[in-house]
Amino acid sequence: MFDGFWSGVLGGLFGSSLTRWARKYRYSTIFLIVTIGVHIFSFAQDLVRVGGHAALMRFREFTFTTIGLLVPMGIGLLAVLCVFVCASLIPEKKG
């Protein structure tokens, strides 16, 4: 329940301004940035958790599998959907 509180507070404070910022980019750009970002953060998490050599081995093992490709793409599509819905709900500022 406490996580929902912080999600609401942060979404209320930064949601509309973040959506206005993301609105100026194309959806394909948002998709690529988020998809590549998921791969980078996954590698960084493995790097911290298991070390450099093991992180490279896991990256090679899991990145080019069906799950390793489709899950980051799904997260990228979800980000595009969120930006699309929020951009259509928040009116543009004139001026």
Side-chain angles (χ1 to χ4, degrees):
M1 177 157 165
F2 195 64
D3 292 339
F5 169 76
W6 284 112
S7 174
V9 168
L10 293 176
L13 290 174
F14 301 114
S16 60
S17 60
L18 185 64
T19 301
R20 277 191 218 103
W21 174 77
R23 182 186 292 170
K24 63 183 172 186
Y25 295 104
R26 291 186 172 175
Y27 293 131
S28 59
T29 305
I30 294 170
F31 171 74
L32 285 175
I33 288 171
V34 171
T35 303
I36 292 170
V38 168
H39 282 290
I40 289 170
F41 286 122
S42 174
F43 178 74
Q45 179 183 2
D46 281 344
L47 189 66
V48 170
R49 188 181 266 174
V50 295
H53 188 330
L56 282 173
M57 295 300 290
R58 288 177 67 158
F59 185 74
R60 275 191 263 158
E61 182 181 347
F62 292 121
T63 299
F64 300 109
T65 62
T66 305
I67 299 295
L69 291 174
L70 291 179
V71 170
M73 289 172 69
I75 294 171
L77 288 173
L78 184 64
V80 168
L81 179 67
C82 289
V83 169
F84 173 74
V85 169
C86 292
S88 64
L89 293 176
I90 296 174
E92 290 187 36
K93 286 187 175 180
K94 303 289 182 188

